[in-house]
Amino acid sequence: PYLALGKLALLDGEPGVGKSLLSVTLAAILSQGWPLPDQQGGLTCASGMPSATLLMSAEDGLADTIRPRLDAVGADCTRIFALTGWHKEGDVPGEERAFTLEYAPVLASALEQYHPRLVIIDPIQAYLGGKVDINRANETRPLLSMLGNLAERYHCSIILVRHPAKGGQGRAIHRGLGSIDFIGAARTGLFVEQHPANADAALLCQTKNNLGPLGRTQLFTKGNGEFHWAGVSRLTAEMLAGTGRGPDPAAFLDAVCWLEKRLEVLKTTIDDIVR
């Protein structure tokens, strides 16, 4: 339920929480055709035949960050491509123009060339172009519609990575930076949140799903920059957003994490007795 071919997805989260690590790992998984976690956290969901990913990253270097992360998880890098810039006829040889979404034909050409199953734009605000105000729906909607049309035409999932607004409060679906039109255009919304009781873990929550019910919150670990799926959690995006949870939302989250651990131990004990 998290991603769908031919659709836009939005991935929100604070800087440093693990969004880019997650994105690169998804590219690696697709490059090898490895399975993805199901709603109980087991790696049983087939991802299909090995397929390509097109990356656009304005914050992480290809050589010093992205490639080492891909190598660390065993990606087939022959199926992972990066769009860093573009050339126009008559330009000085060796010089690239910076790519923004104003140049839609450049992106369409890359999709035509590589046939990716996944496209990652990280972060979206870096690729809007200088004439687009991220807070104005009338300016962002044409670009979002264009991306949606490209996703449908080339049968790929396009993930728009985004930071949350400063001091964002209220419902999780409204916490992202910029116009509400971003989440309106996306078919699915995802939020990466730091695990409240484990500094080396993060939670992948679903805030919106136009294709069915919301999926379970997935856990992953990120210690030393290494990615590993780590099961599921009862914590939801709304719980993590801190709405309606008393004067100390952090205490509520700590209690949920404590209870989950105790229930896991209890389940293991019961399973051992049954066996």
Side-chain angles (χ1 to χ4, degrees):
Y2 303 103
L3 297 173
L5 294 176
K7 305 296 182 183
L8 286 183
L10 202 59
L11 177 61
D12 292 326
E14 297 283 355
V17 76
K19 301 186 305 300
S20 296
L21 179 61
L22 169 66
S23 300
V24 167
T25 301
L26 289 176
I29 289 171
L30 291 180
S31 77
Q32 296 284 11
W34 290 331
L36 289 160
D38 59 26
Q39 295 299 284
Q40 285 71 47
L43 296 177
T44 68
C45 290
S47 65
M49 296 293 292
S51 52
T53 293
L54 178 64
L55 292 170
M56 283 164 272
S57 177
E59 295 184 341
D60 292 324
L62 292 175
D64 61 9
T65 302
I66 294 176
R67 181 59 188 261
R69 285 177 173 175
L70 289 169
D71 290 338
V73 292
D76 180 353
C77 291
T78 64
R79 293 191 174 97
I80 299 173
F81 306 94
L83 176 56
T84 58
W86 62 289
H87 297 278
K88 185 177 180 180
E89 186 177 353
D91 285 349
V92 176
E95 291 187 2
E96 280 191 336
R97 296 177 180 235
F99 172 75
T100 69
L101 295 176
E102 296 171 288
Y103 305 107
V106 176
L107 177 55
S109 177
L111 297 177
E112 185 71 38
Q113 180 178 357
Y114 300 121
H115 301 287
R117 192 173 173 197
L118 179 66
V119 178
I120 300 168
I121 304 178
D122 182 10
I124 181 59
Q125 58 265 31
Y127 292 94
L128 292 177
K131 299 178 182 179
V132 177
D133 185 338
I134 194 173
N135 297 302
R136 293 182 177 274
N138 64 313
E139 296 184 18
T140 58
R141 172 56 73 169
L143 294 180
L144 294 172
S145 296
M146 176 270 293
L147 289 172
N149 290 336
L150 288 176
E152 185 174 1
R153 185 191 313 167
Y154 292 99
H155 202 53
C156 60
S157 296
I158 299 181
I159 298 179
L160 311 179
V161 181
R162 189 176 62 155
H163 299 315
K166 292 182 179 179
Q169 297 293 330
R171 294 185 61 201
I173 200 171
H174 297 148
R175 292 174 65 191
L177 184 68
S179 165
I180 191 66
D181 201 49
F182 279 96
I183 194 64
R187 299 301 89 191
T188 185
L190 303 169
F191 205 102
V192 178
E193 187 74 66
Q194 177 64 45
H195 194 286
N198 185 349
D200 289 332
L203 300 110
L204 174 62
C205 312
Q206 191 166 37
T207 59
K208 176 186 177 180
N209 185 10
N210 280 13
L211 308 172
L214 294 179
R216 292 283 298 277
T217 293
Q218 302 283 341
L219 280 78
F220 64 88
T221 59
K222 53 181 179 171
N224 299 318
E226 297 179 2
F227 183 100
H228 298 282
W229 296 112
V232 294
S233 173
R234 292 172 179 81
L235 288 170
T236 66
E238 294 307 324
M239 290 179 181
L240 293 167
T243 55
R245 297 299 175 185
D248 188 357
F252 169 81
L253 297 177
D254 286 340
V256 173
C257 292
W258 178 88
L259 183 59
E260 280 196 318
K261 286 184 179 179
R262 296 306 179 273
L263 289 174
E264 185 176 343
V265 171
L266 179 60
K267 181 180 182 301
T268 301
T269 302
I270 292 173
D271 289 344
D272 289 341
I273 293 173
V274 171
R275 284 196 295 268

